[in-house]
Amino acid sequence: MTKPLLSVRGLTLDIPLANGMLHAVRGIDFDLHRGETLCIVGESGSGKSLTSLAIMGLLDRNIRRSATRMDFDGTELTTASKRQMRALRGDRIAMIFQEPMTSLNPAYTIGDQLIEALQLHRSVSHDTARKRAIELLEKVGITAAASRLSQYPHQLSGGLRQRVVIAMALMCEPELIIADEPTTALDVTIQAQILRLLVDLTKEMNVAMILITHDLGVVARVADNVGVMYAGALVETGPASDVFGMPMHPYTRGLLHCIPQPGKTQRGTPLGTIPGIVPSLVGEVQGCAFRTRCPHTVADCRAAIPERGTPPHQFLCVHPDGARAAEGEPA
Amino acid sequence: MSVHPTIDPLLEEIQGPTPRQILRKRVTGHTGLLFGLGVVLLLVIVAILAPLLSPHDPYIQDLTNRMVKPVFMGGTWEHPLGTDHLGRDYLSRLIYGARVSLLIGAVAALISGVIGTAMGVAAGYFGGKVDAVVTFLINVRLAMPVVLVALAVVAILGGSLQVVIGVLGLLLWDRFAVVMRASTLQVRRREYVAAAQAIGASTPRVILSEIMPNIVNNLIVIVTLEMAHAILLEAALSFLGLGVQPPTPSWGLMVSEGKNMMLFEPWLVLIPGIVLFILVLAINLMGDGLRDVTAPENRS
Amino acid sequence: MLPYILKRLGLALLVAFTVSFISFSLLFLSGDPAAALAGETASGEDIEALRHLYGFDRPMLVQYGDWLWQALQGNFGESYYFKLPVSTLIGDRLSVTMILGVCGITFALLTAVPLGVVAAIRPNSIIDRLALFLSVAGQAMPSFWFGLILIVVFGIQLGWLPPSGASTWRHFIMPTIVLGYYAMPAIMRLTRAGMLEVLNSDYIRTARAKGAGEGRVLFKHALRNAIIPVVSLAAVQMGFMLGGSIVVESVFALHGAGYLAWESIARNDLPTVQALILIFSMFYIIFTFLADVLNAWLDPRMRSS
Amino acid sequence: MTAPVLELKNVTKTYHVKQGLFGKPKPLTAVNDVSLTLGRGEVLGLVGESGCGKSTLAKILLGLEMPTSGQVLVDGEEINGQDRLALARRIQPIFQDPYSSLNPRKTIADIVSLPLRVHGVGDAASRAKSVRETLDLVGLPARVLNTYPSQMSGGQRQRVAIARALIMHPEIVICDEPTSALDVSVQSQILNLLNDLRTEFGLTYLFISHDLAVVEHLATRVAVMYLGRIVEEAPVATLFEAPRHPYGRALLNSVLTPDPSLGVPDTQLGAAYPNPIAPPSGCHFHPRCPFVQDHCRAVAPRPVPIGEGHVECHLHDPDSPMYRADFTV
Amino acid sequence: DKANDTLSVAFTKELENVDSFFNSSREGVVMQRAVWDGLIYRDPVTNEYKGNLATSWTWIDDKTLELKLREGVKFHNGADFTADDVVATVNFVAKEENGVKTQRNVNWMESAEKVDDFTVRITTKEVFPAAIEFLSGPVSIYPADYYAEVGPSGMGLKPVGTGPYKVVEVVPGQHFVLEKNENYHDSPKGQATINKIDIRTIPDVNTQLAELFSGSLDLIWQVPADQAEKMSAMDDRFTVLNESTMRVGYLAMDAAGRSGMDPNPFTDLKVRQAVNHAIDRDALVDNLLKGKSKVISTACFPSQFGCVQDVTSYEYDPEKAKALLAEAGYPDGFSTPFYAYRDREYGEAISSYLNAVGIQTDFKLLQYSALRELNMKGEVPMSFQTWGSYSVNDASAMVSQFFKHGSLDDAQDDQTKEWLDIADSSTDDATRVEYYTKALQRIADQAYWAPMFSYNTNYVMTKEVEYTPTADEVLRFTNMTWN
Ligand SMILES: Nc1ncnc2c1ncn2[C@@H]1O[C@H](COP(=O)(O)OP(=O)(O)OP(=O)(O)O)[C@@H](O)[C@H]1O
Ligand SMILES: Nc1ncnc2c1ncn2[C@@H]1O[C@H](COP(=O)(O)OP(=O)(O)OP(=O)(O)O)[C@@H](O)[C@H]1O
Ligand SMILES: [Mg+2]
Ligand SMILES: [Mg+2]
């Protein structure tokens, strides 16, 4: 197997708060290969955004990051200097944020911002950069691209802005794109368009992508590999077909039962639920964080949880089969 | 009977403290606020108990004992802070001066608060033409130079405590209107307002019981800040000779009277100035603190 | 943008018109100007004649219209005290006040903006605390008192600066500091708050994610957006400062328009007071108008609407 | 279909929006000539993209906005003439954002009992009893009574909002995206609750949502809205099997079921999102429609009744030159 | 300073108009004496009259004074001084409608006529023995052609006279610069020695002191007693001199009942007497005014001709004051507005004495012109006022100013007016003294005023300046020299 483009081991993020230490991300591991799309899915507050910012080196000053390894194509991100990080950001690793309405600077034209993205890393002429900008705008499906360059963000609709953001991310032909909920704020039809665009572009340019979302539908349609995150831990990872075909962790299965699936779920029947709420991660966290909501909780859930399954499909649970059998699912 | 099983009480704990507990915690953790509150309270008590606390009658003059130095500059305990240019006890005048400042600040802020809040809330809630008119009035008011207009009016009507209070009250409503308008606009968009309306609550009820409680914290902040503003303005007017008139012991007036001897007896100016500074500082710290502790929760 | 400017101008004029009316009627109530004009030995008939001569017996609205019409042509009538055209009187002194105002706002901006920016970059740092302290103290500092203290310390004890007057630039240093310090806290707080908000915004994160350096992020991306409200506030403060120059001018015996205003009020010199109120208002209106135009130009959202 | 409990006849709502600080107000037709009927016990799912007028329609039904023209009838009575109190007994809302729909300064008991107090129902004791019962109904324990919204999770808050809406026993509940702010694990609890309450009390819902999967699960009928108009309306099964309007079809295509084998669908829509202040000529949808012809740009389609619903598209209008009897997805 | 031969002086007040006929302030008098000349000159020390622009004068009849004029005098603008200038000036200022600010100074003149180029006759309206004194005081002679051209406001902006100093710069509100008149005629005023006088308006004494410390002022005057005391005690860089002035402080009361007060206590003699008894004038003089100030009990300054001192006086006796108030029907006192225009602390101290006997005062400090206006309208029940008699050393300059039914007369007493008329218009000194005495007696008996004290002026100057002040409160730049 080839060497992964990005390899993360034991990434831990702690935030000191007035009432204790918030363990926002608790030792997560994952690998990402070139041209591959990894989707990280999880409830609000499970640490998805922080994980992505940790890779970018854009965490707030007060957040403590530690990892045994964060290797990006031979560069160890944990020890990289500020300058090195800055050279990576926007050039080899690009990022797309959730809010298309606010992630473009209102004071500058689309053209200025696109061109800046290129000129920060390549010493190219303004004209060349402009040509590249037009080319990419057309590529992301924006018509009359040349005239858009002189427009300001507020003159574009949400869907168009997100396309601009994507174009901006692609300006330097990055090897890795991190997209943090790029479609959550968009309408369903536009969401589908944007996702399709992202998938097509990554495949075409052989770019690796980490796509963060809380929508299982998006994950299933986009991901090569899936990471299910709960309370700061990756509780299940694996190829999309495996995770959706045979979800091992009780949380993953719970999530899948919660959503109505046209054609599959009987109309009007009760949906599955996961009662309770995400526990606070302030203070010492022991054992499985999901045990407070899990129907299969046993005493051992408080102890250290073993990693189960065989790569690439792995999960964290005291039950060897993730209690699949207990739910009457085929093992 | 329950259609849906009750959520397991053990699993879904009610989180966190009540808003009041949060407030208490934030207040006790905010040194600026505590300092401001403490000083203001102290001065309020001093003002209320002025007749008991002041060693002398602040109006009794003794021309043979003029400008006696305060005790820390070699004076005696008879007049701990010395006497002024007419031989009146400086400490007593300072104590009574607290009454003047606090009274002016409080009443002026009250008057302008009522005017400004009514205008601001009406503008924010009803929008449209009401808003246009109020915004216009705010513009007009801001365009008028406060000190100049206040001086002119005081000159016309004569400088008495009532006139000064009235003039300041009628001039300082702009910030109330601006802030209350903005807060109301913001709260008005919240869905609980729509919910109350959909329930059938009348407009006064919506304003009083849904909107007001959510903007009252901003109101309190502005009240304190405007109170400080009014106190400073009164001092400035009195300093210019067109505020409250002697022998009323206003701190601004005391600075103005002490000014003549400033080069020789600087304490005459320093003492009332410092007291004025501390009072205004304390009120401002209180206001800033209140703003901090009542601000919606932020992440840190 | 042009229609915006025109409409904004219309509003400015309407405000100016209303202010002029209020200031006229305010002082109209202040008593019989004819008696004041007539002098010591005047009899009832004399006063009556004067009243008629000056048109004080006409309805107020007519008098107002007349006054406004004259004022528009730069004629504010004759000072009761100096018996000189008010415009001549004011013209001389306005420059002093303007110099003071410009110096004051410059001082305020030059201290407040850098402090606010640094405080926002490093919240809770020493500089942030210093900035906060300066602004809290500034807001509580009675400017007349501050001025007196400066005079005693720098004018007398140390003898570094001339204690009063306006003949050289050194005379303007202390008044500038006092007036500027009055405007500084608000500007600093707004800069700090604006910067904090902008620095937490998504587009700043985007800029960082593009690989932009810290300096570029701060000055190209953040400050540009944070400065927009500061421009408005500076204009408002400038307007307030001219109004507030009364106090400072009287402390430093600067013979500017503010000082003239104070004296004219005390002297019951109605035409001068009326003219000064109107002129100070006009300055406020003009400054805020210019600030809005500048903002409309700085802020593309307004530029294109 | 049962007797209509709610009926909209040619309802139009036009706002005048100012552009910029001083711009001349321009008309914005948020709801454009909408006619709908809703039978007792039905759930009408209202879907459409952001800004198409769904919430405006809801506000009109709640009496929070007056329609510019047209009638709204509840049980055959026009509600424009009725006072808000009377209307409030029959129609109640549940809003999208559980963080903004509860007054943070009030206790849960105050919030839930507000309708009783506004309507002057009962005395303090009977009100308290009623509040407890209703909280129980939505699955909240009595100990939440004296807590504040800020102490609750999103799901709990939404339950409080539901309790407040139900305490006066309304006939119709307007749910404006009641779950879109919630995590899926909580969303399903609320959906189940709403469904259970409906069967228990025979409520009628107008259920507004972005999420077609949810609508399909809960609704009996579906209306698809585009730029202020209902472009297609049909029983849920019909619509989900064979959407007739190109936009309805695109919406349906965009539903992402968690099935890894399907990939991201192609909606075949253009990217040009129209400006509601200057809507496109003819058929509002034409700039994005994959089947657009010149006729669409010139002539606005009319509603054509089909089956138990209707659709607004030239392709389905027998009188139109573009009519294609065989047109299906 | 001495180095560039420029003396920097501060004025407290900004002149409304430098034209001496159109201001009524002390600073105006100072300017007037420097820039212009009168026909006659009174030596401030010996009080002897000497010729100035006139060389000799004789009464032709009761009402006609003939004056011989000095030849070869030139105005600052180069124009020659002739009888025409005198005639034009007198005829202009004597006309009431021309609005000379202090009518009393000029309204005794009917007109002037030219006899020949250097002889004029001035006709008085009534018999007016004080004419010589007035001609040596406030009546200055203006250049006829120039004045006709520019009028009072032009004269104010660019003054032209014959005096020892000419005005070279006027920046309204800021400063005036005077320069030595090299061509000054051989006047009893003497020739100026200091080349330039820079007069700055600095309203605040405190600032004046600061400027003096910092060396940008050479001389200040009218320094309050406290500061002057400190200055003389603390620093050997300065000379502090004290000289009495003709200024008298007094309380005016609305005896005629002109103000709208109802009931008006001041119409009651007992109340006015009570006010007189309530105030400890000695304490005021000893502790506040100090220097050469004296307690005064008549409505004039003691050195003035006709100003007798042996009138009814009211000693400080608060108990008696209270008793009188009670008798008058105010056992609990009453409250009244109390106005003042200068010396806030004196006013405050006085009001404190009044408060002590039960007269509650609502203290109002106005600018002089504003108070005067109110006063003229008769709307001032009680005020603390001062009068400097324009340095005219004749009782008529004060008592006749206020008790002859003018708009500033709060007594409006016919008897007093009658006696004053006689005194003012008699040419016989004995008769004048007799009737001034009667009038002053009556004013004291009726307690129309409560005369308080005479003022003094403190002059503070650097050791570089040599100057001996005079008792008439006029700064004479001509008499100043460098040490
Ligand atoms: N700068 C910060 N300071 C303090 N706490 C933070 C900070 N950033 C994030 N957190 C907390 O860390 C946790 C994880 O946050 P994160 O933004 O990664 O969640 P998420 O999975 O992206 O959620 P969402 O789906 O809502 O975006 C949350 O509890 C959040 O409140
Ligand atoms: N009070 C108002 N004044 C002016 N325009 C309004 C007002 N309320 C809504 N609109 C406009 O009417 C249109 C419809 O808005 P509405 O809120 O009904 O959309 P929606 O379908 O509910 O959207 P979303 O899915 O985002 O909630 C939008 O273009 C909106 O900008
Ligand atoms: Mg996130
Ligand atoms: Mg909506």
Side-chain angles (χ1 to χ4, degrees), chain A residues 187, chain D residues 15-17 28-31 48-57 59 65 96 176-177 208 210 225 273 276:
Chain A
D187 280 312
Chain D
Y15 290 112
H16 292 272
V17 288
L28 184 157
T29 305
V31 173
E49 64 195 352
S50 185
C52 70
K54 305 182 297 292
S55 296
T56 306
L57 196 64
K59 284 185 196 152
E65 294 278 8
Q96 167 177 3
D176 192 352
E177 310 196 28
I208 297 173
H210 275 114
M225 210 167 171
Y273 184 73

Side-chain angles (χ1 to χ4, degrees), chain A residues 44-45 47-50 52 98 180-181 212, chain C residues 205:
Chain A
S44 186
K48 308 183 294 290
S49 298
L50 286 182
S52 66
Q98 171 172 2
D180 187 357
E181 312 208 18
I212 289 169
Chain C
R205 227 171 33 180

Side-chain angles (χ1 to χ4, degrees), chain A residues 15 17 22 24-25 42-51 60 62-63 98 180-181 212 214, chain B residues 299-300, chain D residues 183:
Chain A
I15 309 172
L17 295 180
L22 171 67
V25 171
E43 267 174 281
S44 186
S46 54
K48 308 183 294 290
S49 298
L50 286 182
T51 304
D60 283 359
N62 64 331
I63 299 179
Q98 171 172 2
D180 187 357
E181 312 208 18
I212 289 169
H214 55 246
Chain B
R299 270 201 302 195
S300 53
Chain D
D183 271 320

Side-chain angles (χ1 to χ4, degrees), chain B residues 115-135 138 176-190 193 197 203 206-207 211-212 215:
Chain B
I115 299 173
T117 306
M119 286 173 72
V121 171
Y125 189 82
F126 296 107
K129 290 218 170 60
V130 182
D131 188 25
V133 170
V134 169
T135 313
I138 293 173
F176 285 100
V178 170
V179 174
M180 287 297 101
R181 175 178 172 275
S183 320
T184 308
L185 268 178
Q186 207 178 39
V187 171
R188 198 198 182 316
R189 275 198 289 271
R190 303 268 160 78
V193 174
Q197 288 170 333
T203 301
V206 172
I207 291 177
I211 294 196
M212 283 313 278
I215 59 175

